[in-house]
C-alpha cells in the first residue's frame, strides 16, 4: 500500500508536535522514522493508523484519502512498544483475536482460524508457545506474538512503534534482522518508528530523520549516513566532532584535493561549522603539513573492535574524538600526553545563519 | 532476609537487631491489638449469636417466621438487587470514561463521586425528603400524579443508590488508569468494535477489581441504616429494611428476634468479608503476575 502524508500538522495544546510534514512511501518499502524522543515520529505513526486525528493535512493510502476514516477501514497492523498483548488470553487467542472479531459473514470457520494461527506462530517461530500466557514469555517472544497478531488480519500496512525499544541490546539486534528478513518475504509496506540509529540504518530501505516536528532528511541509510543534509542529522547519526569557525580559504578542501585540508581553528567567525566523524580523522606523529592541527592525547580507550582516542587541541583546547583501527593504533604507539597531528580525510561544512 | 547483623569492634561482638523490636515490645503490641479486637469486635459478634440463640434453635427459627421479618428481608434484598447493578453499571461507565478518555472537568468529576462518602447518610436521606417529600420541591406534583417516592420503595432504593455510588467507581478508576489504554487500542486496530473491545478485552481485565467493588457496594447497600431510615417511614411489613427492623424489634424489647435478624446481617457481613478476601487474593496474584508485562 502506498502512503502519502500531505502537509500534516498536529498540536497538543500549544505544543506543535508535527509541523507541516509531508512524506511519500511507495508500496512495499520498509521506512524508518528516526528521531529523538519528542520529535513527533510516534504521533505521525498514530495519525497514520487513525489512533490520532491531525489538525491539518491529509492522509492518503493507495490513492484514497482516509484522513477521516475509522481505524477499522484502514487495514493497518499496529505493533506497540510495550506489546499491548491481551494479558488474559493465551498466545493463540491473542493471534486469533483479529479474526474472531470479524463480522459473522467474513469470519473464517474455527478450523480455518486455528490453522491460520498456527501458520502465523510458525512464521514467528513460536508454535510451542501457543497455549502460554503473555506473562510466561520473554520480551522478545511477546513482541513476536504481537507481530503475528497484527499480521493475522492481513494488513496492507504495518506500523511498528519502537517495537524493540523495551528489549535488551542483543535481542534487539536479532529481532531487527529477523524483521528485515520477514519484510523481504512478505513485502508489506512497513513503517518502523525508532530512536535507535543503528536499527534504522540496518533494517530499513529508507530513513526519514525527524527533529522537532519536522523532517530533516529522507534518504537511503547510506545517503543519510554519508551525506547528512543538516547539522542535526550529522549529530544524530553517529558520533561527530564539531569545529566552529571558518576554514581559511587557501587551506580549504578545494586547495588540497589530496585530503590534506585543514580544520578550522579560528573561533572568531561562528558562521561556519565543520563536522568530522571520529573515524574520518587521521593522526600522525610528525607534522607533514602546515595545516594539521596539533593536539595532545588525553585518554585512550582500547576496549571493543576499534580504539577510541580523546585528544585536546593545543590552541583551542577543544576536545576531539578519534577512532582508529587496532593496527593503526599499534603503529602509532600512542600514550597519554603524547603530541599528535590531526587531519581529516573527509568533512562537511554547514553555514549557520547569522543570528 | 534475616535482619540481624553482627557488629565487631574492639574484639567485642554485639548482635544488633535492625528491624525487630525487643520481644517484650513485640508481644506487648500484639496483646494490645488482640485485646482491643476481642473487646470491640469479637465479643459483640459472639454476643449477637448468643443472644439470637438464647431460646434455642427453635426460638431462632421462629423469629424468621414472622411476616414483618420476612418482608424486611425481602425489601433489603430487593433494594440491593436494584441499587447494586445500577451502581455497577454507573461505576464501569464512569471509570471507562475517566481512564480511557481526556476531557475537561475530569478531576471535578472524580471528586464529585466521593460526595456520598463525605456526606452523613442522614443528610442524604433528608435531601430526598426535601426533593420528593409532600412539602418538598416536587412533592405537590408527585402527589397530584399519585407517585409515591418517600415512605415507599423508590425512596429506599434512591437513598441506597446515593450512599453506594462511589464503591464500584472508586475501585475501578485507579485500576483502569494504571492499565492504560494500549490493549484497547490494539483491539481496535485489529478491527474490534467498541462493544467487542469492552466485552473481550476491558471486562476480563477488570473483573476481579470489579467484583471487589460490587461486594463492597452490596455490603453497604444491605447494611445502610441512616439514609434509608429517613426516607422509609418505618411502615412495618412495607418499608422496613433489615437494619430498620432490627431497631424496631429492639425498641420493643424483643431481644431474641432483634438479634436473630441482626445475626443474619452479621452472617452476610462475614460471607462478604470471606468473599472479599478470596477476591483480593486473586486480584493481588493477578496483578503480581502482570507486573513483568509493564517493566520488561
Amino acid at each position: 500500500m502506498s502512503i502519502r502524508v500531505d502537509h500534516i500538522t498536529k498540536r497538543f495544546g500549544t505544543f506543535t508536535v508535527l509541523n507541516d510534514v509531508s512524506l511519500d512511501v511507495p508500496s512495499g518499502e520498509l521506512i524508518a522514522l528516526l528521531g529523538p524522543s519528542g520529535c513527533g515520529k510516534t504521533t505521525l505513526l498514530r495519525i497514520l493508523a487513525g489512533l490520532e486525528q491531525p489538525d491539518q493535512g491529509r492522509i492518503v493510502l493507495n490513492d484514497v484519502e482516509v484522513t477521516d476514516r475509522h481505524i477499522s477501514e484502514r487495514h493497518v497492523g499496529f505493533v506497540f512498544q510495550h506489546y499491548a498483548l491481551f494479558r488474559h488470553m493465551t498466545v493463540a487467542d491473542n493471534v486469533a483475536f483479529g479474526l474472531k472479531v470479524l463480522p459473522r459473514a467474513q469470519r473464517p470457520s474455527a478450523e480455518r482460524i486455528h490453522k491460520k494461527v498456527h501458520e502465523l506462530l510458525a512464521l514467528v517461530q513460536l508454535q510451542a508457545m501457543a497455549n502460554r500466557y503473555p506473562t510466561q514469555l520473554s520480551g522478545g517472544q511477546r513482541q513476536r506474538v504481537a507481530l503475528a497478531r497484527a499480521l493475522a488480519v492481513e494488513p496492507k500496512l504495518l506500523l511498528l512503534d519502537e517495537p524493540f525499544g523495551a528489549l535488551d541490546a542483543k535481542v534487539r539486534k536479532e529481532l531487527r534482522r529477523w524483521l528485515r528478513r520477514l519484510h523481504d518475504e512478505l513485502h508489506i509496506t512497513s513503517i518502523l518508528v525508532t530512536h535507535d540509529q543503528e536499527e534504522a540504518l540496518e533494517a530499513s530501505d529508507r530513513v526519514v530523520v525527524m527533529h522537532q516536528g519536522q523532517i530533516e532528511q529522507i534518504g537511503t541509510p547510506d545517503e543519510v549516513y554519508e551525506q547528512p543534509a543538516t547539522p542535526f542529522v550529522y549529530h544524530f547519526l553517529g558520533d561527530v566532532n564539531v569545529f566552529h569557525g571558518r576554514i581559511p580559504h587557501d587551506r580549504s578542501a578545494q586547495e588540497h584535493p589530496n585530503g590534506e585540508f585543514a580544520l578550522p581553528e579560528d573561533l572568531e567567525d561562528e558562521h561556519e561549522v565543520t563536522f568530522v566523524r571520529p573515524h574520518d580523522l587521521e593522526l600522525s606523529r610528525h607534522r607533514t603539513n602546515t595545516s594539521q592541527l596539533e593536539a595532545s592525547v588525553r585518554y585512550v580507550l582500547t576496549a571493543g573492535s576499534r580504539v577510541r582516542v580523546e585528544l585536546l587541541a593545543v590552541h583551542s583546547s577543544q576536545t576531539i574524538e578519534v577512532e582508529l583501527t587496532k593496527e593503526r593504533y599499534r603503529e602509532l604507539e600512542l600514550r597519554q600526553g603524547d603530541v599528535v597531528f590531526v587531519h581529516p580525510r573527509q568533512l562537511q561544512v554547514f553555514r549557520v545563519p547569522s543570528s | 532476609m534475616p535482619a540481624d547483623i553482627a557488629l565487631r569492634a574492639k574484639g567485642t561482638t554485639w548482635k544488633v537487631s535492625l528491624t525487630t523490636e525487643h520481644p517484650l515490645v513485640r508481644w506487648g503490641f500484639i496483646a494490645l491489638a488482640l485485646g482491643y479486637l476481642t473487646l470491640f469486635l469479637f465479643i459483640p459478634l459472639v454476643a449477637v449469636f448468643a443472644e439470637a440463640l438464647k431460646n434455642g434453635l427453635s426460638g431462632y427459627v421462629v423469629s424468621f417466621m414472622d411476616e414483618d421479618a420476612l418482608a424486611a428481608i425481602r425489601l433489603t434484598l430487593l433494594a440491593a438487587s436494584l441499587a447494586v447493578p445500577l451502581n455497577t453499571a454507573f461505576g464501569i461507565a464512569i471509570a471507562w470514561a475517566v481512564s480511557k478518555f481526556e476531557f475537561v472537568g475530569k478531576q471535578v468529576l472524580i471528586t464529585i463521586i466521593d460526595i456520598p462518602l463525605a456526606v452523613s447518610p442522614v443528610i442524604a436521606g433528608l435531601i430526598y425528603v426535601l426533593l420528593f417529600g409532600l412539602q418538598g420541591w416536587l412533592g405537590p406534583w408527585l402527589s397530584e400524579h399519585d407517585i409515591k417516592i418517600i415512605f415507599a420503595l423508590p425512596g429506599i432504593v434512591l437513598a441506597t443508590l446515593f450512599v453506594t455510588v462511589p464503591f464500584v467507581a472508586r475501585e475501578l478508576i485507579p485500576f483502569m488508569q494504571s492499565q492504560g489504554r494500549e490493549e484497547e487500542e490494539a483491539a481496535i486496530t485489529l478491527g474490534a468494535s467498541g462493544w467487542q473491545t469492552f466485552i473481550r478485552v476491558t471486562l476480563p481485565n477488570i473483573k476481579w477489581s470489579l467484583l471487589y467493588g460490587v461486594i463492597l457496594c452490596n455490603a453497604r447497600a444491605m447494611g445502610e441504616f441512616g439514609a434509608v431510615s429517613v426516607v422509609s417511614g418505618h411502615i412495618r411489613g412495607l418499608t422496613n429494611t433489615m437494619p430498620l427492623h432490627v431497631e424496631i424489634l429492639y425498641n420493643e424489647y424483643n431481644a431474641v428476634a432483634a438479634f436473630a435478624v441482626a445475626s443474619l446481617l452479621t452472617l452476610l457481613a462475614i460471607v462478604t468479608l470471606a468473599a472479599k478476601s478470596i477476591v483480593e487474593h486473586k486480584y493481588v496474584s493477578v496483578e503480581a503476575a502482570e507486573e513483568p508485562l509493564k517493566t520488561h
Side-chain angles (χ1 to χ4, degrees):
Chain A
M1 183 188 276
S2 67
I3 306 165
R4 158 161 281 171
V5 174
D6 194 14
H7 297 286
I8 289 286
T9 295
K10 174 76 182 174
R11 290 180 203 89
F12 286 132
T14 54
F15 180 65
T16 305
V17 194
L18 291 171
N19 189 4
D20 195 26
V21 169
S22 294
L23 173 69
D24 274 302
V25 182
S27 191
E29 241 185 20
L30 199 168
I31 289 276
L33 291 182
L34 175 67
S37 53
C39 73
K41 55 192 192 302
T42 294
T43 306
L44 181 57
L45 198 75
R46 291 173 63 86
I47 287 174
L48 277 170
L51 288 167
E52 304 275 357
Q53 277 296 309
D55 294 324
Q56 280 155 40
R58 300 185 313 145
I59 299 290
V60 179
L61 300 179
N62 261 357
D63 301 321
V64 179
E65 185 178 345
V66 297
T67 319
D68 299 320
R69 294 237 181 129
H70 190 254
I71 308 167
S72 54
E73 296 172 65
R74 299 194 187 193
H75 301 288
V76 297
F78 202 101
V79 175
F80 296 81
Q81 180 176 5
H82 296 289
Y83 329 119
L85 293 178
F86 306 126
R87 53 195 105 188
H88 61 283
M89 291 184 204
T90 62
V91 165
D93 286 339
N94 262 282
V95 176
F97 185 87
L99 300 170
K100 285 184 180 169
V101 296
L102 281 171
R104 200 177 295 274
Q106 298 163 38
R107 198 186 310 154
S109 65
E111 302 95 76
R112 288 275 306 283
I113 291 178
H114 183 80
K115 192 161 167 275
K116 173 117 193 199
V117 166
H118 281 269
E119 279 167 19
L120 283 161
L121 287 178
L123 186 71
V124 299
Q125 298 147 18
L126 284 174
Q127 288 130 300
M129 305 288 173
N131 295 317
R132 300 264 185 107
Y133 283 88
T135 46
Q136 298 167 307
L137 304 182
S138 72
Q141 290 171 331
R142 285 180 205 176
Q143 199 54 292
R144 281 187 279 156
V145 174
L147 197 62
R149 181 179 71 177
L151 290 173
V153 290
E154 293 177 9
K156 306 255 168 41
L157 173 61
L158 190 59
L159 303 171
L160 306 123
D161 183 15
E162 305 246 11
F164 313 133
L167 304 170
D168 61 67
K170 196 166 176 290
V171 179
R172 205 155 66 203
K173 211 164 196 166
E174 272 168 33
L175 276 186
R176 70 168 174 254
R177 291 193 178 145
W178 174 81
L179 176 73
R180 181 67 233 188
R181 286 198 302 274
L182 193 73
H183 181 265
D184 291 339
E185 229 173 274
L186 303 173
H187 294 293
I188 302 174
T189 313
S190 307
I191 298 189
L192 168 72
V193 159
T194 179
H195 64 263
D196 179 343
Q197 25 132 333
E198 232 183 286
E199 191 168 293
L201 296 178
E202 204 178 300
S204 65
D205 296 317
R206 283 200 301 156
V207 180
V208 177
V209 186
M210 292 184 67
H211 179 46
Q212 292 179 344
Q214 283 175 314
I215 292 177
E216 293 270 328
Q217 188 176 3
I218 304 173
T220 63
D222 274 345
E223 277 164 13
V224 292
Y225 189 77
E226 297 296 338
Q227 299 144 36
T230 67
F232 173 80
V233 178
Y234 223 119
H235 265 292
F236 199 72
L237 291 173
D239 297 318
V240 69
N241 290 294
V242 183
F243 301 91
H244 292 274
R246 177 181 288 275
I247 303 172
H249 192 67
D250 62 317
R251 296 195 298 179
S252 67
Q254 286 82 10
E255 313 288 317
H256 298 276
N258 303 328
E260 297 274 302
F261 46 85
L263 289 168
E265 258 192 299
D266 169 19
L267 294 169
E268 305 287 300
D269 189 350
E270 287 279 352
H271 295 317
E272 239 165 55
V273 187
T274 303
F275 287 77
V276 188
R277 297 248 186 248
H279 60 259
D280 283 333
L281 284 170
E282 178 59 277
L283 299 184
S284 52
R285 278 295 206 171
H286 307 285
R287 189 182 282 281
T288 56
N289 182 306
T290 52
S291 62
Q292 282 170 330
L293 205 69
E294 193 180 344
S296 62
V297 176
R298 208 203 270 173
Y299 294 114
V300 179
L301 277 155
T302 50
S305 57
R306 307 193 118 225
V307 179
R308 300 185 76 85
V309 184
E310 200 178 299
L311 306 173
L312 201 64
V314 170
H315 294 292
S316 62
S317 315
Q318 184 184 353
T319 308
I320 304 170
E321 256 194 67
V322 181
E323 216 178 272
L324 301 171
T325 60
K326 290 249 158 154
E327 294 78 43
R328 183 71 189 134
Y329 169 69
R330 276 187 220 110
E331 273 169 41
L332 286 165
E333 294 176 349
L334 289 180
R335 299 245 149 57
Q336 212 164 354
D338 284 0
V339 171
V340 289
F341 298 91
V342 189
H343 71 267
R345 276 187 292 258
Q346 201 185 352
L347 53 70
Q348 193 156 354
V349 180
F350 291 103
R351 290 288 303 176
V352 180
S354 38
S355 47
Chain B
M1 196 170 58
D4 293 342
I5 225 181
L7 285 182
R8 281 193 190 82
K10 290 177 190 164
T12 359
T13 306
W14 294 294
K15 203 158 165 91
V16 179
S17 165
L18 288 182
T19 54
T20 31
E21 302 296 337
H22 192 276
L24 220 61
V25 177
R26 231 189 307 161
W27 288 111
F29 273 113
I30 292 172
L32 190 71
L34 278 179
Y36 193 89
L37 286 178
T38 310
L39 195 63
F40 293 107
L41 273 177
F42 191 61
I43 292 180
L45 207 63
V46 172
V48 168
F49 288 97
E51 284 293 321
L53 292 166
K54 209 161 69 179
N55 295 353
L57 202 61
S58 56
Y60 183 73
V61 173
V62 164
S63 307
F64 295 112
M65 290 301 156
D66 177 40
E67 271 303 314
D68 294 345
L70 286 175
I73 293 170
R74 268 198 303 271
L75 182 62
T76 295
L77 291 177
L78 181 62
S81 69
L82 287 170
V84 173
L86 277 172
N87 272 332
T88 302
F90 165 77
I92 294 172
I94 201 158
W96 171 277
V98 162
S99 59
K100 310 288 175 189
F101 302 103
E102 295 300 325
F103 54 90
V104 183
K106 200 156 122 171
Q107 279 310 315
V108 178
L109 191 67
I110 295 176
T111 313
I112 287 176
I113 298 171
D114 283 351
I115 285 181
L117 291 179
V119 171
S120 158
V122 176
I123 309 290
L126 276 176
I127 293 168
Y128 288 114
V129 174
L130 285 174
L131 270 178
F132 304 119
L134 261 183
Q135 267 75 47
W137 288 2
L138 300 172
W141 186 86
L142 288 172
S143 65
E144 244 173 61
H145 292 80
D146 206 21
I147 301 169
K148 272 189 78 71
I149 291 182
I150 301 302
F151 306 147
L153 178 69
I156 291 168
V157 173
L158 278 175
T160 309
L161 267 177
F162 184 89
V163 294
T164 55
V165 156
F167 290 93
V168 174
R170 273 180 68 93
E171 200 52 51
L172 285 182
I173 288 171
F175 182 70
M176 285 173 79
Q177 277 178 332
S178 76
Q179 287 205 324
R181 47 186 154 192
E182 267 202 345
E183 281 185 51
E184 279 81 9
E185 284 181 350
I188 286 169
T189 61
L190 289 166
S193 65
W195 178 247
Q196 282 174 319
T197 303
F198 176 71
I199 291 295
R200 287 168 178 262
V201 177
T202 309
L203 204 56
N205 275 340
I206 63 168
K207 65 181 175 213
W208 293 115
S209 171
L210 177 65
L211 192 58
Y212 186 72
V214 168
I215 288 170
L216 289 179
C217 183
N218 184 54
R220 182 67 196 266
M222 292 195 174
E224 177 54 30
F225 180 85
V228 172
S229 173
V230 176
V231 296
S232 128
H234 305 268
I235 306 164
R236 275 188 175 218
L238 274 179
T239 63
N240 262 350
T241 60
M242 279 164 77
L244 301 182
H245 191 64
V246 172
E247 194 207 18
I248 289 178
L249 289 173
Y250 186 75
N251 286 342
E252 290 171 348
Y253 305 105
N254 194 348
V256 171
F259 279 106
V261 178
S263 75
L264 211 58
L265 277 171
T266 311
L267 269 179
L268 172 83
I270 293 170
V271 169
T272 303
L273 282 177
K276 187 183 120 187
S277 49
I278 291 168
V279 169
E280 218 165 30
H281 179 74
K282 271 274 192 191
Y283 178 19
V284 167
S285 60
V286 167
E287 276 214 311
E290 276 163 7
E291 212 41 53
L293 249 183
K294 299 238 154 193
T295 53
H296 241 256

